[in-house]
Amino acid sequence: MHKDIATPVRTKEILEKYGFSFKKSLGQNFLIDTNVLNRIVDHAEVGENTGVIEVGPGIGALTEQLAKRAKKVVAFEIDQRLLPILKETLEPYPNTKVIHQDVLKADVKEVIQTELADCEEIMVVANLPYYVTTPIIMKLLEDQLPLKGIVVMLQKEVADRMSAAPSSKDYGSLTIAVQYFTEAKTVMNVPRTVFVPQPNVDSAIIKLMRRSEPAVNIVSEDFFFSIVKASFAQRRKTLLNNLVHFLTEGKEKKHLIEQALLSADIDGRRRGESLSIEEFARLSDELYAHFK
Ligand code: SAM
C-alpha cells in the first residue's frame, strides 16, 4: 500500500523519479498536506454520487483524495510532462480520468455529458493555477454548466474580492460577477508552508454554491455587467461621473443618467462601491431604457 501522494516524502520520491521541474508559468505549486486536501474535499461535500471536475491535477495529490470519496473525477491538465506521472500515481483509482487540455479551451459541458452523466451532482474542486484563477472561474460560471458548486484554493486576495460585501475595499466588479451566479464564502485560509514550491502569496479556500436563479433579474446581462464595470472604473469618482464618462460623449445626455438614477432611487453622489447588487440591477434596467 502506497503512502498518500500529498505527503512530503512521497511527493519528493515521485518528482525525483521523473526528474520533474516546476514551471512557474503554469502556476505549479503542489499541495503536500493531506489535512488541507481533506478539508477541501469536506467543504465540497463530495460523496458517492458526486461527479467532480478538477482543474490541474499536478501529480494527483487532490485527485487521489477526491477519488476516494467521489463517484468519478475528471481532471484537465495542460502540462504534458505530468501525464506519465498521473498514469502511475492514479493507477489505483479507476474512477479517475485525466484529459490533456487547457481548461480554458475545453468544452466542459460536453465532458460532463459524456463522462459524468450518471452522477447525481457535479462539483468543480481544484487547487487552481494562480495565474489564471479569475478567467477559469468566470468561464465555469458563464458557460452555464450544470454545476452544484465550485470549491477551490486560490490567492487569498482574490477570494476576499469574490466574497466581499458592499462598501469594503475588496468589493468590485469581480464580486458582483461571482455573486450574481453564486453564494460566495471564504471557508478557510491556508498557509504557504503546505505547498512545494511555496507561492509568494497567501491562499484561501472559497466555496461558490450556484444559485438556482441569478441573484437579480435584469433586462440585459451584458448591459448590467458593463454598467457595473463602468461604476468601478475610477473608484474615487462619484457614480454619476463614472456613468457620464462611460455612457455619453460630451455631457448632453447627462440629464438622462440623472433621471435614471432618480427613478432607481440612487444618489449619483455615491461611489459605485457602495451599491448592492440589487441597486446595480435597478440602475442598469433604468439606464437600459435610454442607452441600449
Ligand atoms: N492539484 C495539484 C495539487 O494540488 O498539488 C496541482 C495544483 S497546481 C496549483 C496547478 C496545476 O494546474 C498544475 O498542475 C498546472 O500544470 C495546471 N494548469 C495550469 N494551467 C492550466 C490550464 N489552463 N488548464 C489546465 N491545467 C492547468
Side-chain angles (χ1 to χ4, degrees):
M1 194 60 187
H2 268 306
K3 280 195 214 69
D4 282 348
I5 299 165
T7 53
V9 174
R10 175 106 193 272
T11 297
K12 192 160 169 264
E13 265 170 28
I14 295 167
L15 297 176
E16 278 175 3
K17 176 173 174 188
Y18 287 88
F20 184 82
S21 53
F22 295 100
K23 269 197 191 160
K24 215 175 165 189
S25 61
L26 291 179
Q28 291 178 336
N29 302 95
F30 296 171
L31 277 164
I32 47 162
D33 186 319
T34 43
N35 288 328
V36 170
L37 288 167
N38 277 312
R39 296 298 299 279
I40 299 177
V41 186
D42 289 344
H43 281 299
E45 295 172 43
V46 171
E48 57 190 13
N49 294 316
T50 314
V52 177
I53 296 282
E54 188 190 355
V55 179
I59 59 170
L62 176 58
T63 327
E64 173 178 62
Q65 303 306 328
L66 288 164
K68 287 182 189 171
R69 293 202 234 169
K71 183 160 189 140
K72 187 165 180 192
V73 185
V74 179
F76 290 94
E77 176 54 62
I78 199 171
D79 187 349
Q80 185 156 20
R81 300 172 308 150
L82 289 165
L83 302 187
I85 305 183
L86 287 163
K87 194 164 186 295
E88 180 189 325
T89 57
L90 297 179
E91 202 261 334
Y93 305 99
N95 61 339
T96 59
K97 175 169 178 145
V98 175
I99 299 179
H100 176 218
Q101 199 175 16
D102 176 346
V103 73
L104 291 173
K105 298 191 179 137
D107 186 342
V108 183
K109 195 180 258 180
E110 164 81 19
V111 169
I112 291 174
Q113 275 161 8
T114 51
E115 301 292 341
L116 302 174
D118 55 349
C119 298
E120 274 175 20
E121 54 178 39
I122 311 292
M123 289 292 295
V124 172
V125 188
N127 168 22
L128 289 176
Y130 290 179
Y131 75 106
V132 276
T133 309
T134 305
I136 291 175
I137 290 189
M138 289 319 298
K139 175 195 161 76
L140 294 170
L141 294 177
E142 285 166 356
D143 277 2
Q144 310 218 329
L145 306 172
L147 299 181
K148 183 175 171 213
I150 300 175
V151 172
V152 285
M153 175 95 79
L154 34 57
Q155 307 91 306
K156 181 176 182 311
E157 175 231 326
V158 179
D160 289 344
R161 281 163 54 205
M162 290 182 175
S163 55
S167 295
S168 65
K169 73 170 177 18
D170 297 317
Y171 187 70
S173 49
L174 180 64
T175 316
I176 308 250
V178 167
Q179 295 186 13
Y180 175 72
F181 295 109
T182 71
E183 284 189 50
K185 192 168 175 215
T186 299
V187 289
M188 190 177 153
N189 291 329
V190 178
R192 297 168 195 207
T193 46
V194 300
F195 301 88
V196 279
Q198 292 189 17
N200 43 23
V201 292
D202 291 320
S203 300
I205 299 168
I206 196 164
K207 181 168 182 169
L208 307 172
M209 296 310 282
R210 205 178 172 96
R211 299 176 190 275
S212 51
E213 296 289 330
V216 285
N217 264 321
I218 39 193
V219 182
S220 161
E221 255 181 31
D222 286 349
F223 189 76
F224 169 76
F225 285 117
S226 67
I227 291 299
V228 169
K229 226 168 158 186
S231 304
F232 288 105
Q234 295 205 35
R235 291 182 80 103
R236 281 165 47 212
K237 273 193 179 178
T238 63
L239 182 60
L240 178 62
N241 282 344
N242 269 326
L243 291 173
V244 167
H245 184 77
F246 174 68
L247 287 169
T248 77
E249 284 165 20
K251 294 200 172 167
E252 74 275 15
K253 290 191 181 158
K254 188 176 176 187
H255 69 282
L256 293 178
I257 300 175
E258 287 169 330
Q259 200 179 308
L261 282 161
L262 200 64
S263 310
D265 195 20
I266 294 167
D267 186 336
R269 292 169 300 183
R270 288 169 63 183
R271 309 252 184 267
E273 68 203 46
S274 75
L275 266 66
S276 67
I277 191 164
E278 290 79 14
E279 288 179 308
F280 272 119
R282 278 206 317 267
L283 178 59
S284 151
D285 279 358
E286 292 294 341
L287 288 168
Y288 189 71
H290 301 294
F291 295 97
K292 65 185 162 201

